[in-house]
Structure formats: structure tokens, C-alpha cells
Amino acid sequence: MMLTLMSLAAPLLGGCLALLAVRMPAWSARAGVAGALAGGVCGLIAGFRVLFSGVSVSLELPWSVPGGAFHIAVDPLSAFFLIPITLLGALCAVYGGVYLKGRGDARGIAPGWFNYNLLLASMVLVVVSRNAVLFLVAWETMALASFFLVTFENGRPNVRMAGWVYLVATHLGTAFLLALFAVLGERAGSYDFDAFARAGATMPASLSACAFALALIGFGAKAGFIPVHVWLPEAHPAAPSHVSALMSGVMIKTGIYGLLRLMGCLGAPAPWWGWCLVVIGLVSGVLGVLFALAQHDIKRLLAYHSVENIGIITMGLGVGYAGLAHGFPGMAALGFAGALLHVLNHALFKGLLFLGAGAVLHGTGTGDMDHLGGLLRRMPVTGATFLIGSAAICGLPPLNGFVSEFLIYLGAYDGVTSPPAVVAVACLPVIAGLALIGGLAAACFAKVFGVVFLGEPRTEHARHGHEAAAGMRWPMIVLAAACVLTGFSAPVLLAGLAPAVGVLTGGTPEMIRGALGAAANPLVWIVVVSTMLALLTTALAVLRNRLLSGRTVAAAGTWDCGYAAPTARMQYTASSFAQPLTDLFGFVLRTRNKQTGTGGVFPAGASFATEPNDLFRNQFYDPFFGRAAALMAWFRRVQHGRVQLYVLYIALTLLALLLFSVG
Amino acid sequence: MPPLSFINFVLALLVAPLLLGVINKTKAFFAGRTGQPLLQAYFDLWKLLHKGAVYSRTATWVFRAGPVVGLACVVLAAAIVPFGGSRAMIAFPCDLILLAYLFGVMRFFTVLAALDTGSSFEGMGASREVQFSALAEPALLLGLAAVARLTGSYSLSDMLPALSMSAPANSGPVVVLVAGALLVVFLVENARIPVDDPNTHLELTMIHEVMVLDHGGPDFAFILYGAALKLWVLGSLLAGVAVPVRTGNAALDCAAALGVMLCLAVLVGVVESSMARLRLLRVPRLLVGAVVLSGLAFVLLLR
């Protein structure tokens, strides 16, 4: 418990010290990084200890807040979420220490580090708190700290807009959580999560359903389920890259954590919960990757991929709850294990990719993919680690993304071959969805890596790109190594996952191990095949080099069909690469094209530009809030700004009250 | 690991380029030509392996990694797919996912190698490749899901041998539908007419060929051999579902499967001789059709 408390206290202390050193930006950065690092190490140890010993720890202190109690506990589920939070928190802090140097104005540095460490501490508190009031305090602190981080570069209008959208979205989500906790607290007579769980066991189905819906919207807004994802593609690109990595890698997972924690308090799951999660996951996954395909800005694209990966996680949870509700423990355990592992994996590769995008932004000054190209030669380390991250997020073996998706597939095929038709039908969209998402994600990351790092530089920005400093390179290398290691150590990790899965499915550790045992043999085979793949690749590369030794190996220009004057601008761009797919799915994407065509015998300049579109933002929320604002404008008529009129309102109100009390 | 599966694996490695010869002979027959020798693919590979190489000045190590990683993936894929009613060398539950994703790795690196040259033509081919494969993957996995439900297991080495032995009587329509879907996937993934034309040499009209335009020497040999092996692997998957000949005698089964593979090659030749390539905009419809066939096959199994 001491370690958990220290992982809370160290970032807070570091943050406060950073704020004290507001006039010395270099020292605030040091204090901030040190606090986050110390907290990260403590939290990591605490998380691993609980996960591998399986022994939960808890602490209850008196707290004079009505309905509240300072009740924190680390059980395997909390411990599992602690690991990515603290790991990424520490690594991003190291990166940020270099990244922020010479960016923005110096006065922003100290508050920036204060908020970063506050965000880290509040995320830790979210996953360990066991009281609704404490949870909400941590939740709101998290939202506000991240809001201030999103608006770090508040001089830019689009950053202020992104911050505003985020603030509204996160508070709408919190409103649903307040309602959820009110419902559960009313029923349990206390705001302690343990009391919720006891009351949930006897809750009528209608109330459970209502609470489930509230949790789905409230936590879904944070996690980024479509259609409540609109804040995400705005806020993540606006924040500094190390903050984007932290928000995208782990902050949105607190939504998943909250959903799991609270669903555990609602009694036995109804069959339709699984269905509902599968559908939400499918929609988020497919639309997330499609919206990503249409983007030109690398950070915006990565933000949409977070929506996609949350979708994959949710599909895994759907398989898990469907298995639980229909009495297939093996399928349930596999679905949950896949979803949880994907939480960790997404933190690793999305953190890596955002840090890589930050290095590109830092080294070239632009995040517009169509202005980049050929960066692999200029930024070899960033490029190589970004390639690993790209392959991992596409779920390609032998990297970590494949393992977690494989577990979800395994659960889904288990469901598909099980006798009841209803289970099979629930699992079929998971298989089709994962396959489609996998293919589209591969297309998307082939585009990102190919256009940004390969080929010829398209503009001066890319031609003058430079590699990131050592302090930025090392966190990327560590994350890339973690992606590879997680992929190769999957069978071991499965044993570590078992206690966390046990919290979700219930049952004895032996039962969980038995249920997960179905995955043990395939995972060993996967590691074998992955190793063979690595060996075979090396062998073939050696063979090729042996064959070529002693023969002429020449360098020449790329074959261009005999065209005499090729330029770098003739290369396929991000937009043209994705065009067949964005056209094919045009009915949901509705990308807007602006073009001036060529005409006449001697055509002058022509231009073509595509503008990505978020269906829900532009076709639903903007019109909705526009109408609401118009409706509210009507009330503004009573507000003229004349004091006399307001005095008249007061007098009239008093008169009315007087008449009411007399009559 | 039974010795038979090893023999089958070696058979795949040796015989795969022959399929290209059979296809070309069939096409030559339809065109009234003599055509190239049956073993031309072997001669080409031998020649390419003994050549030097020319690399683009734009390209980086990713370009050189492409053919190597691609060939490694497809060799491993050949060890996963069972042939002629016997188990494969690598067999475990859900190995079909690993098979699909190994092809995913191969494609990812081929596409990146194409983009690494900075050529607009290769970018075009890469863009088309990722589009079609994104749709082919659901068709493949859904089709196999239907077979999995039919046979009650989800390892290829259990599914395919079980097809004719213990499958229920009404499995005929399911097998036909899945085979149809797999045939489409087979043609798309192997860059065959009606999706791609391996014989044209106009950059604008090609997909797979244009992506490997800049490779030469041993690299191109790896690519050519990898493509032949991919044809074999997906072909034996299709043959295993469509014509599950099971006599009980291992040697006889293997010979029968080999015969089926040669027939499949002739079928590809016939398709290529008798129809033109589809317009590229129409190809997605074909693929969606394959997804629908797979889905329909699954629906037939719901009771």
C-alpha cells in the first residue's frame, strides 16, 4: 500500500515543486520529470506485486466529506491498469522534458508540469479509489488537469476550440456518472463500491439495465466510443505530443476501467450487454479506422486510431460478457483476457506512435503528411521505432497487437463453434469486424509510414528534418522494445492476466487458469512461429547477401517509365493512397473535395484538396448545438443590460412571491 | 510432427512454381500457341538467383527487407495449411488467424517496399493492393468461420480433414458457398484475372506486378517464388474445402490433392483465357459478394 500511496504522492510533490520554480523553467521541468518518474516506478512495482501475488491491498481513512470515505484498494484489475498508466506516465515525462524545451513560452512550462503530474496522480487515484465521491473527485481532477494540458498552446484558436469541446464533452460524461452513482448510492445506502456490489447482487433487472446504460454513456464519453468520441480527435492533436501519448495511451482507458469496475457492481450480466458492447465496439472500430484513413494530419490520424482500438477492446469485452451471460467460461475468459491485454498493448504502441509523431513534428515543423517524405534517412531511430509501432497497431505478428487480437479471435471462434445460435451470431461480427479493421488499419499505417518516412522528401520541411535528441529517442526505443517483448512473452503474460480476468468473471483462480488454458497452447505456437519468422528472415537476408557478394550491385534512379523529369511531388500522397478506400466508404466518410480542374488547350495551374469530415461532429452535434444555441437566444431577450429593467424583474418577483404567500 | 506433413511441406516448396507453368500452358492452349516450357518458372528463378542487383537511390533498408520478410512469411504459411487430408506441420486452435495475418505481414512489407521507391506507379499499385486485401480478409475469415461451425473445430488441420468424413449430410450447400468465396479470395490475393493481370506490362493497369517493378536479381527471385508459394498455399486451402477427397490411404490422398491442385491451375488458366479483367471500380463488388457468400454459408448453419 505504501508504494501505491507513494505513486500518488511523488507526482503531486514533483508538480508542486515545478510550480514553485515557476521563474526557472529548467528546474520546473526537472522537478516535474523527477516526480513523474518516481511515481511511475513506485506504481509499476505496486502493480506488478499485486498482479503476480494475487493479494489485494486496501486502505480506509476517515474523510469528512459527506457520503465519502478515503477508501482506496489495489486488486488485480486496478493493478493491471496501474501498469500502463505509470509506465507511460514516466516515459512520456522523460520525453516531454526534452520536447518542451524551447517550445511555447517559458511561463507555460511550470504550470504544464504541474498539470502533467496532477494528471498522472489523478489517473492512479481513479483506478485505486473505492468510493464514488473520491472516484468523482479524482475523475474531475483528471479532466481538468488534462484540459489545461490540451490548452497548453492556448495562443492558437484551434487549440482553444479543442479545449472547449473537450471540456463540454467530459462534463456531459460526468453528468451521466453522477446520475449513475446517485442511482447506485440510493440503492446501496452508501457510496462505497463494495456496498454497490453487495446491493447490485439483488438489483432488479430494469434498474441494472438503466445503470448499465448510464455507465456506458458516462464512461464511453471518456473512452471515446462512437458517437460520443467527438472530443478525442480535437483534443489529442492539440496537446503537446507527450501529453497526447499519455491521454491517448492511458487516459481514455480509465473509461474502460470505470465501465468494468461499475459493471462488476450490477449483478449478473444480462445477455444483451455483451451484444450491446459488440455493436458499439464494431461501430467504433470500423468507423474509427475509416475516419483515420481520411486524415492528412498525423496526430489527428493517430487520435482516430485510438477510437478504433477502443472499439477492438470493447468487442473483446462484448465477447467476454456474452460468454459470461450464456455460460461459456472459456469464451468469457478469452474475450476479457484479449481486451485487457489490448489495453496494455494499445498503451505501448499508441504511446510510441504519438511520441514518434512528436519527434517528426519537432524535427520538421509540420504534421501534415503530404508535406513530409523520406524521413527514414534523416531520422533513422524514430523511423525504425515508428515502423515497429505501426506493425504492432495493425496487429501483425510477431508483435504485441497480434497477441491480444488473437485472444479475442480465439474467444470469438469459440463462440462461433458453440451450439447456441445466439452466441454464434454475436461472435460472427467480431470476426468479420476484426478482419476488416485489421485490413483497413494495415492500409492506414502503410500510408502513414510510407508517406512520412519513405520515398523522397516532398517539401523543404522534410528535407531539413533532423533526428530527435537522446532524451526523446530513449522512451521510443523502450516502448518499441516493450512491443516486441510483449509479443514474444505472451504465454507468460497470460498467467499474469489470470487474476485480473478473475475479477471480471468471478470464480476461483484454478477455474480461471483452466478457462484460459485453452489459449496456452496456441500462444506457445505463436511464439514458436514468430521465432521461426525472425530466424527465417535473417537466414534469407544472409542468403541474399551471399548471392550478391561478388556480383555487380548498382544504384540507379527509380524506374519512372522513361519520363525525363520526375519530381518528388509526383509521388503518391497520403490522400491519393487512401482515395480508393475513402471513395469506397464515401457514404460514411463524405470527404469534401475542392478542385479547380484543367481546361483549354494550354491548361494553367490546377488544384485539388480534400477535407476530412467527421460525420457525427458535422452532421449531428454541430447542427444540434447550433439549434440549441438558437433556441437559447430567445431567452436572451429578457437580458437587456439595463439596470432599471433588472430592478423591475426583482420587484415583480417580490410582488409575485408576496401574493403567493398571502394568497 | 508426423513425417507425412513434412513430406507435404517439402512437396509444396518444390512443386509450387509448377502451377505457374500449368496456368501458362493452359492459356497458351486457348490462344493456339505452344507457349513457354512447363518449367519456365524454375528457369526464371535459377536465372534471377544468379544475377546482380540494381537498387534505387531513393530506397532504404525497408526496400531490401520487403522480399525477404515476404518469402519468410509465405514459407511459414505453407507449414500451416494441411494438404491432402493429413495434418500440417504447425497445427493449433485458431491457426487460421495466424495464416491470414502472415499474409498480412507479407503484404505490409511488399506495400512499404513499393512506397520506398517513391515511384508514383508503385504507389498506385500499393494503394490498390491494400484496398482489395482489406475486403478479402473478412471474406476469408468468415468463410473459415462457417467451416469451423460445420466441423466444430477451429484449427485448419482438424477442419479440412473432417470435412468429408463426419460432416452432416446437409453440408453440401455450405461447402459450395464457402468454396465460391474462397475462390474469389484466391484470385484476388494471387493477383489473377479478373482482378489483376499478371501478363500485362503496362504499369497503369497492374497491381502486384507494378509494386515489384523496381526489384531485380535475387530479390525478384524471392518475390516470384513467394508468389508461386502463395498460389499453392491458398490453392490447397481452397482445394481442401472444395474437393475433400479422403480415401483413407495417405499416399492416395496426397496424389488426389495434387491432381486437384493441377486442375485448379487449369481452372485459373481457363478463367484468364475466357474473361477480361474487371474494371477496378467493380472489384470491390466482387469482394463484397464473396463476403456475402461466406455470411450466407454461416446463416445456413444456424439452427
Side-chain angles (χ1 to χ4, degrees):
Chain A
M1 202 67 233
M2 201 59 214
L3 279 168
T4 314
L5 285 178
M6 272 167 69
S7 72
L8 276 171
L12 286 179
L13 185 69
C16 291
L17 285 177
L19 208 54
L20 283 178
V22 66
R23 291 187 185 284
M24 294 172 286
W27 281 100
S28 4
R30 270 173 215 150
V33 174
L37 256 182
V41 171
C42 295
L44 261 184
I45 299 173
F48 275 115
R49 187 188 274 175
V50 170
L51 208 53
F52 280 96
S53 70
V55 183
S56 314
V57 288
S58 71
L59 174 77
E60 222 171 334
L61 296 174
W63 202 34
S64 59
V65 173
F70 193 84
H71 181 193
I72 63 175
V74 188
D75 68 347
L77 185 63
S78 304
F80 183 78
F81 278 83
L82 262 184
I83 291 168
I85 289 174
T86 47
L87 178 71
L88 207 60
L91 287 173
C92 292
V94 172
Y95 178 96
V98 184
Y99 183 77
L100 283 184
K101 218 180 271 174
R103 257 181 93 86
D105 77 286
R107 276 175 308 172
I109 298 285
W113 281 109
F114 174 73
N115 284 316
Y116 182 89
N117 283 357
L118 193 61
L119 173 62
L120 190 54
S122 59
M123 285 195 295
V124 172
L125 190 57
V126 161
V127 296
V128 300
S129 66
R130 285 294 179 278
N131 178 282
V133 179
L134 184 64
F135 182 89
L136 275 180
V137 168
W139 190 260
E140 274 304 281
T141 314
M142 185 174 84
L144 289 178
S146 49
F147 165 73
F148 286 117
L149 286 168
V150 167
T151 55
F152 183 76
E153 294 175 22
N154 51 28
R156 285 161 40 202
N158 62 337
V159 169
R160 287 202 298 273
M161 185 62 201
W164 170 240
V165 170
Y166 174 49
L167 202 64
V168 172
T170 184
H171 283 110
L172 282 180
T174 310
F176 282 90
L177 292 189
L178 275 174
L180 169 70
F181 290 145
V183 168
L184 291 177
E186 181 66 25
R187 179 93 193 160
S190 154
Y191 288 96
D192 203 83
F193 284 177
D194 296 343
F196 285 180
R198 281 193 297 277
T202 58
M203 200 144 59
S206 57
L207 196 62
S208 284
C210 176
F212 172 65
L214 287 172
L216 209 54
I217 302 171
F219 289 117
K222 181 65 76 182
F225 291 166
I226 280 179
V228 282
H229 71 288
V230 280
W231 65 273
L232 206 148
E234 303 294 325
H236 291 192
S241 295
H242 65 297
V243 176
S244 319
L246 193 66
M247 285 177 72
S248 202
V250 290
M251 195 191 81
I252 57 172
K253 309 297 170 38
T254 57
I256 296 289
Y257 168 79
L259 189 63
L260 290 176
R261 178 63 68 196
L262 266 297
M263 279 177 82
C265 297
L266 301 181
W272 66 272
W273 294 7
W275 279 83
C276 191
L277 287 173
V278 165
V279 171
I280 289 176
L282 190 66
V283 171
S284 301
V286 174
L287 289 186
V289 69
L290 281 178
F291 287 140
L293 260 170
Q295 305 300 318
H296 315 311
D297 183 89
I298 183 166
K299 284 180 77 178
R300 241 182 126 77
L301 180 145
L302 290 177
Y304 273 114
H305 270 286
S306 296
V307 176
E308 173 226 317
N309 278 283
I310 286 288
I312 293 177
I313 294 168
T314 312
M315 278 198 271
L317 297 179
V319 171
Y321 279 111
L324 213 53
H326 290 284
F328 291 98
M331 175 183 152
L334 288 170
F336 284 130
L340 286 179
L341 195 56
H342 205 73
V343 165
L344 174 69
N345 289 341
H346 180 246
L348 296 177
F349 52 65
K350 187 49 73 62
L352 169 61
L353 290 170
F354 261 117
L355 296 187
V360 169
L361 212 60
H362 198 266
T364 62
T366 180
D368 188 341
M369 284 185 276
D370 289 344
H371 291 172
L372 296 167
L375 284 180
L376 189 59
R377 282 175 189 282
R378 288 158 192 83
M379 310 175 74
V381 175
T382 306
T385 50
F386 200 93
L387 178 60
I388 293 177
S390 304
I393 199 173
C394 300
L396 296 180
L399 298 164
N400 58 353
F402 175 69
V403 179
S404 43
E405 285 188 27
F406 181 81
L407 287 175
I408 300 177
Y409 270 121
L410 207 54
Y413 270 98
D414 204 27
V416 156
T417 48
S418 69
V422 60
V423 178
V425 173
C427 286
L428 197 66
V430 174
I431 292 171
L434 280 176
L436 182 64
I437 291 169
L440 292 173
C444 197
F445 275 90
K447 157 181 137 169
V448 178
F449 190 77
V451 172
V452 173
F453 289 97
L454 302 176
E456 295 280 355
R458 289 179 176 76
T459 57
E460 285 303 307
H461 287 296
R463 204 161 284 124
H464 299 303
H466 59 83
E467 181 60 289
M472 285 162 68
R473 284 202 304 267
W474 276 107
M476 294 192 274
I477 293 172
V478 171
L479 285 172
C483 285
V484 178
L485 266 182
T486 312
F488 277 94
S489 60
V492 185
L493 281 177
L494 198 65
L497 270 175
V501 173
V503 174
L504 297 172
T505 57
T508 61
E510 287 73 38
M511 277 169 62
I512 310 302
R513 292 222 173 79
L516 280 179
N521 179 32
L523 284 185
V524 170
W525 268 112
I526 283 175
V527 173
V528 169
V529 173
S530 299
T531 315
M532 278 158 65
L533 185 63
L535 291 177
L536 202 55
T537 307
T538 321
L540 286 172
V542 170
L543 174 68
R544 194 249 325 263
N545 291 349
R546 285 280 294 277
L547 284 171
L548 284 179
S549 68
R551 300 204 192 118
T552 45
V553 178
T558 297
W559 167 241
D560 47 20
C561 291
Y563 180 65
T567 77
R569 293 195 56 190
M570 287 171 60
Q571 291 175 96
Y572 249 48
T573 60
S575 327
S576 47
F577 187 81
Q579 187 265 342
L581 278 166
T582 49
D583 258 20
L584 185 61
F585 292 97
F587 59 98
V588 284
L589 285 173
R590 307 200 185 181
T591 308
R592 280 174 293 226
N593 297 339
K594 270 185 249 160
Q595 67 183 101
T596 58
T598 51
V601 182
F602 299 106
S607 76
F608 180 81
T610 60
E611 193 189 334
N613 175 30
D614 189 310
L615 188 67
F616 297 93
R617 174 92 201 268
N618 295 332
Q619 263 77 22
F620 178 67
Y621 288 105
D622 278 356
F624 176 78
F625 282 107
R627 297 249 171 77
L631 196 67
M632 292 303 150
W634 191 80
F635 286 101
R636 223 174 285 152
R637 292 182 194 180
V638 295
Q639 188 188 12
H640 281 83
R642 291 208 196 106
V643 179
Q644 297 95 315
L645 215 55
Y646 295 156
V647 173
L648 179 66
Y649 293 157
I650 295 170
L652 285 176
T653 312
L654 284 176
L655 190 65
L657 287 174
L658 197 66
L659 287 174
F660 179 72
S661 69
V662 170
Chain B
M1 184 182 73
L4 195 63
S5 54
F6 183 71
I7 294 171
N8 284 337
F9 175 65
V10 175
L11 189 73
L13 295 186
L14 291 179
V15 183
L18 183 69
L19 291 186
L20 297 176
V22 175
I23 293 174
N24 281 330
K25 272 289 177 200
T26 313
K27 285 164 82 171
F29 170 77
F30 270 80
R33 295 181 281 117
T34 314
Q36 45 184 244
L38 199 59
L39 300 180
Q40 184 63 43
Y42 293 93
F43 304 148
D44 288 349
L45 286 173
W46 186 253
K47 186 181 69 182
L48 285 169
L49 282 174
H50 289 82
K51 282 194 163 199
V54 181
Y55 291 106
S56 161
R57 274 187 288 270
T58 306
T60 59
W61 58 268
V62 173
F63 180 80
R64 292 174 189 232
V68 170
V69 174
L71 183 56
C73 286
V74 74
V75 168
L76 285 173
I80 293 179
V81 172
F83 185 76
S86 71
R87 293 178 69 82
M89 286 213 297
I90 298 170
F92 57 89
C94 250
D95 48 6
L96 47 102
I97 300 296
L98 187 60
L99 177 79
Y101 276 72
L102 278 175
F103 284 131
V105 177
M106 181 183 184
R107 185 182 313 124
F108 190 66
F109 273 86
T110 311
V111 164
L112 286 187
L115 287 171
D116 200 11
T117 59
S119 151
S120 39
F121 294 116
E122 299 196 32
M124 190 182 291
S127 164
R128 290 171 180 170
E129 170 88 3
V130 295
Q131 184 200 6
F132 298 151
S133 61
L135 294 173
E137 211 154 299
L140 175 67
L141 291 183
L142 276 184
L144 292 179
V147 181
R149 188 164 173 84
L150 184 66
T151 58
S153 71
Y154 41 93
S155 162
L156 286 174
S157 290
D158 294 331
M159 277 158 62
L160 298 190
L163 260 183
S164 71
M165 289 184 183
S166 60
N170 63 348
S171 66
V174 176
V175 168
V176 169
L177 288 173
V178 173
L182 287 183
L183 180 65
V184 173
V185 172
F186 171 77
L187 292 174
V188 172
E189 286 280 320
N190 288 305
R192 289 281 151 188
I193 285 179
V195 175
D196 188 5
D197 189 347
N199 277 16
T200 141
H201 288 284
L202 185 64
E203 290 85 343
L204 279 170
T205 56
M206 299 186 292
I207 302 174
H208 182 260
E209 287 292 303
V210 74
M211 280 201 297
V212 299
L213 206 57
D214 247 51
H215 290 278
D219 287 309
F220 192 58
F222 285 6
I223 288 173
L224 205 62
Y225 183 60
L229 208 52
K230 190 175 180 183
L231 190 74
W232 175 276
V233 171
L234 285 171
S236 53
L237 191 64
L238 174 59
V241 171
V243 194
V245 183
R246 308 283 175 263
T247 57
N249 181 334
L252 222 56
D253 276 355
C254 188
L258 204 57
V260 173
M261 291 295 283
L262 293 178
C263 291
L264 186 63
V266 172
L267 177 70
V268 172
V270 172
V271 168
E272 299 214 335
S273 312
S274 59
M275 69 188 289
R277 220 191 53 178
L278 280 177
R279 279 179 66 201
L280 281 172
L281 296 175
R282 293 269 168 81
V283 174
R285 295 189 198 171
L286 183 68
L287 283 164
V288 171
V291 175
V292 171
L293 285 183
S294 296
L296 204 57
F298 194 83
V299 169
L300 289 182
L301 291 166
L302 293 173
R303 255 166 303 140

